[in-house]
């Protein structure tokens, strides 16, 4: 039987983006922007079907802005898991209105979801890491594989600073299961630099960030963080820190 988790919103003070960006100078933002443009241009030149997997959160909006505002031939897509916050889904239209290009949404297989729910329960992911990973495999990994089936490279918004599972992140990796290069153009940025870039370019951001959500995933698996917690503490908060990946990135090799 599935255990019911009572998930109440944490009483946290919203962290203003301006506060995160306060120590980043305008010159530094310009340098970051130029370096990012160069990285993305090199990827676009090297690959004919590069795709960027966006969660529609802060880092990914920075990359979306850089790609769309410069007209780079990199497709931007998102995984519409069926359990996203309404605010996250709403960002798809926000992006279309701002940039005139759409983020393509890939949905999970409806029959696979039904089989999971019928067998284990709607929220069985709370019961064990294995059941949570199985849910992620259905709602995220399989749609990602489908989205990348005709790609020759994929990009992510991962950063080293985000969690203990990403401290060795590199700009370029090789994703063996999918047989293609994977790029992390923001791998060496810190959170303040991300927000300074967003503010400087007036990039639209997910409203959840202002409510204490630095990292945003599915609604039942994401909470606001407490002061002093790392940026991914609100993701699968009931699990150990070293299991907090959904299966999209754990197999990558440097």
């Amino acid at each position: 039987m599935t255990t019911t988790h009572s998930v109440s919103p944490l009483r946290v003070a919203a962290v203003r983006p301006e506060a995160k960006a306060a120590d980043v100078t305008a010159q530094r933002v310009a340098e970051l922007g130029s370096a990012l443009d160069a990285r993305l241009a090199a990827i676009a030149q090297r690959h004919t079907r590069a795709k960027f997997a966006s969660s529609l959160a802060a880092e990914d909006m920075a990359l979306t802005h850089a790609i769309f505002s410069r007209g780079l031939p990199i497709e931007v897509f998102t995984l519409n898991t069926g359990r996203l916050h309404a605010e996250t889904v709403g960002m798809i239209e926000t992006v279309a209105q701002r940039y005139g290009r759409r983020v393509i949404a890939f949905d999970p297989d409806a029959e696979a979801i039904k089989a999971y729910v019928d067998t284990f329960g709607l929220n069985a992911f709370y019961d064990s890491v294995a059941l949570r990973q199985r849910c992620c495999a259905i709602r995220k990994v399989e749609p990602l594989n489908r989205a990348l089936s005709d790609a020759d490279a994929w990009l992510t918004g991962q950063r080293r600073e985000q969690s203990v599972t990403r401290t060795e992140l590199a700009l370029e990796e090789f994703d063996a299961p999918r047989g293609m290069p994977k790029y992390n153009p923001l791998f060496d940025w810190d959170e303040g630099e991300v927000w300074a870039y967003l503010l400087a370019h007036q990039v639209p951001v997910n409203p959840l960030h202002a409510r204490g959500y630095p990292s945003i995933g599915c609604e039942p698996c994401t909470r606001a963080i407490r002061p002093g917690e790392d940026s991914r503490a609100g993701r699968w908060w009931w699990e150990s820190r070293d299991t907090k990946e959904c299966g999209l990135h754990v197999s990558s090799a440097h």
Side-chain angles (χ1 to χ4, degrees):
M1 179 179 294
T2 300
T3 302
T4 300
H5 281 232
S6 177
V7 182
S8 56
L10 296 176
R11 295 185 179 277
V12 296
V15 179
R16 290 173 60 86
E18 292 85 350
K20 299 177 182 180
D23 295 331
V24 184
T25 66
Q27 180 179 348
R28 177 59 177 161
V29 173
E31 292 169 351
L32 289 167
S34 295
L36 178 59
D37 290 347
R39 288 175 180 178
L40 292 173
I43 293 168
Q45 185 175 31
R46 183 176 175 184
H47 302 282
T48 59
R49 288 290 295 173
K51 295 189 178 186
F52 168 45
S54 171
S55 68
L56 301 165
E59 290 83 1
D60 295 346
M61 287 306 302
L63 284 171
T64 297
H65 172 81
I67 292 168
F68 282 175
S69 64
R70 288 154 185 79
L72 294 174
I74 297 174
E75 179 181 300
V76 180
F77 70 90
T78 193
L79 307 176
N80 188 10
T81 67
R83 303 297 301 269
L84 299 178
H85 297 79
E87 292 88 342
T88 301
V89 176
M91 288 299 296
I92 297 174
E93 186 57 35
T94 297
V95 170
Q97 291 177 1
R98 169 66 184 274
Y99 299 103
R101 286 177 62 178
R102 294 202 68 84
V103 175
I104 300 170
F106 284 82
D107 300 331
D109 180 81
E111 289 302 315
I113 290 176
K114 183 178 185 303
Y116 178 93
V117 172
D118 288 350
T119 303
F120 304 109
L122 179 63
N123 295 327
F125 40 80
Y126 290 129
D127 293 348
S128 70
V129 173
L131 284 174
R132 195 271 296 167
Q133 290 175 337
R134 188 163 182 169
C135 184
C136 288
I138 294 169
R139 294 184 182 273
K140 299 179 78 173
V141 179
E142 188 279 329
L144 176 76
N145 291 341
R146 203 173 344 117
L148 295 174
S149 62
D150 61 346
D152 61 356
W154 66 301
L155 291 74
T156 86
Q158 293 185 106
R159 296 185 296 107
R160 286 177 175 171
E161 185 190 54
Q162 288 172 324
S163 72
V164 295
T165 60
R166 298 181 178 180
T167 56
E168 300 299 319
L169 202 65
L171 170 60
E172 181 179 353
E173 306 174 308
F174 185 75
D175 186 74
R178 299 171 186 90
M180 68 178 68
K182 181 172 77 169
Y183 295 92
N184 308 298
L186 303 181
F187 78 105
D188 54 352
W189 288 33
D190 65 31
E191 191 174 15
E193 290 170 337
V194 171
W195 280 99
Y197 179 91
L198 293 169
L199 289 167
H201 295 282
Q202 298 183 320
V203 180
V205 296
N206 193 315
L208 292 172
H209 290 306
R211 305 213 298 266
Y213 290 75
S215 179
I216 301 169
C218 290
E219 184 170 12
C221 296
T222 311
R223 64 160 172 79
I225 66 169
R226 300 177 178 89
E229 290 185 314
D230 71 63
S231 64
R232 282 177 64 82
R235 302 293 298 277
W236 310 295
W237 67 92
W238 64 93
E239 294 184 9
S240 168
R241 291 178 69 196
D242 58 6
T243 66
K244 292 188 176 187
E245 293 288 356
C246 59
L248 300 183
H249 304 298
V250 292
S251 328
S252 295
H254 295 269

